[in-house]
Amino acid sequence: MAAHLRQSPAFFVSAAAHLVLMLLLWILAPAEREAQQAPQITLQHTEEREVVQQTLPDEPEVEPEVEPVVTPVQDTVLVDRATDSDQLADFDSVDPSTESAMQSDQWSTAVGLHGGAAGPYSQRGTGGEGGPGGRATPPSVRRGLQWLAAHQDDDGRWDADGFMKHDDPALATCDGPGNAVHDVGCTALALLAFLGENNTTKSGPYRENVRRGVGWLRKQQDPETGLFGARLSHDFVYDHAIAAYAMCEAYGLSRS
C-alpha cells in the first residue's frame, strides 16, 4: 500500500484525506436544529351587551291645508283729538281756495299754517294775542322767549358761540357755547320759536325780534344759488334747511 501511495498522484491523496476529515466532522458535530418559534397567544376581553332596538314613533298625521279667509281692511281715518269738533272738516268738502297746502286734518296736526291740517296752530298769524290757536302761552315758553329775545344781537342774529355777552351781569354767566359756523341755523331755530307762538313780522309782542331775525337771514342768502350761509362746515346744509323752513314760516304767517 505504501508503494501504491508513493506511486499515486498528490491530488488523489489530498482529495482522499479531505473526504475522510469531512466524514469525521459530520459524524462528530450534528446539524443545528432549526429554532422553533414559540407560539404567541393573544387574549381579548369581550363583553356581551344586549342591544335593544328602539321603536320609531309613528309619523303625525298631516291635516290638509285650508286657504285663509281674507277680510278686506278699511282705511283708518286719523283724527286729531286735540282739535275741537267744530274745526274738523270732511276732506272732500274743504274749500279749494283755502290758503293751507294741506287741506285735511287726517294726517298731520303739527304742520301747515291754516285750515284743519294745522290743528292747534291753525290761528297763527291772525294778529291775536297769546299762543297758537288763541291759547295762553305756558309760563315756561314765555320765559324761554324772554331769554331768546334778550340774547339776540343788534343785527338780528343769534350768536352760537357768543350769546353769553348778553347775560345779566348780576346773574351767573350762561355756558355751553356752540360753533360759530352755525349762526344761520341757531338764528333760524330761534325764529321758529317766536313764530310758533304767534309772533310775526307784523304782530305779536316779539314782532321786532322776528323782523330783525328775518332781515339778517335774508342778507345771508346767496342770490344765485339760494343757499343760506356759506359752506363753512360739512353739515352746512342743515343750517340752510332750518333757515329755509323759518323763512317759509315767516312768509306764510306775515304775507310779507
Side-chain angles (χ1 to χ4, degrees):
M1 183 175 179
H4 286 292
L5 289 175
R6 286 193 298 268
Q7 296 177 359
S8 298
F11 172 79
F12 293 104
V13 175
S14 176
H18 282 84
L19 180 61
V20 173
L21 290 175
M22 291 179 63
L23 289 174
L24 293 174
L25 291 175
W26 181 77
I27 295 173
L28 297 177
E32 292 186 14
R33 296 182 180 180
E34 295 181 359
Q36 297 182 355
Q37 184 177 3
Q40 296 180 355
I41 301 175
T42 303
L43 299 180
Q44 184 176 3
H45 176 71
T46 58
E47 181 181 354
E48 295 183 359
R49 294 183 180 180
E50 184 179 356
V51 179
V52 180
Q53 185 175 4
Q54 296 181 355
T55 305
L56 298 178
D58 297 336
E59 296 184 0
E61 297 182 359
V62 180
E63 297 182 358
E65 297 183 359
V66 180
E67 295 183 0
V69 179
V70 180
T71 304
V73 180
Q74 297 180 354
D75 295 336
T76 303
V77 178
L78 303 179
V79 179
D80 178 26
R81 299 183 182 273
T83 308
D84 296 337
S85 58
D86 57 351
Q87 292 182 354
L88 301 179
D90 185 42
F91 180 81
D92 297 329
S93 62
V94 177
D95 185 4
S97 62
T98 179
E99 298 174 351
S100 175
M102 299 178 65
Q103 301 176 359
S104 170
D105 51 16
Q106 289 180 319
W107 305 111
S108 174
T109 61
V111 298
L113 301 175
H114 300 282
Y121 296 90
S122 58
Q123 301 301 319
R124 287 190 301 163
T126 58
E129 296 295 334
R135 64 172 175 83
T137 302
S140 58
V141 176
R142 283 202 304 269
R143 290 194 296 269
L145 295 179
Q146 291 171 2
W147 188 93
L148 288 174
H151 287 77
Q152 185 182 21
D153 287 0
D154 294 337
D155 59 0
R157 69 168 175 167
W158 275 267
D159 194 348
D161 63 330
F163 57 86
M164 64 287 298
K165 61 178 174 284
H166 299 288
D167 288 343
D168 188 347
L171 301 176
T173 303
C174 293
D175 57 2
N179 195 322
V181 300
H182 297 302
D183 287 353
V184 170
C186 288
T187 300
L189 288 173
L191 279 177
L192 287 172
F194 289 111
L195 294 169
E197 288 300 308
N198 206 17
N199 294 277
T200 71
T201 58
K202 297 180 180 180
S203 62
Y206 295 102
R207 56 182 174 272
E208 182 61 28
N209 300 92
V210 175
R211 187 181 299 112
R212 286 192 286 125
V214 169
W216 185 83
L217 281 181
R218 285 184 58 191
K219 296 177 181 178
Q220 312 309 312
Q221 188 178 30
D222 190 326
E224 296 182 359
T225 64
L227 176 67
F228 287 97
R231 302 171 185 265
L232 299 178
S233 63
H234 67 279
D235 48 359
F236 70 92
V237 70
Y238 166 81
D239 301 309
H240 165 76
I242 299 298
Y245 179 21
M247 295 295 281
C248 290
E249 281 278 278
Y251 171 74
L253 294 174
S254 306
R255 296 295 174 183
S256 174

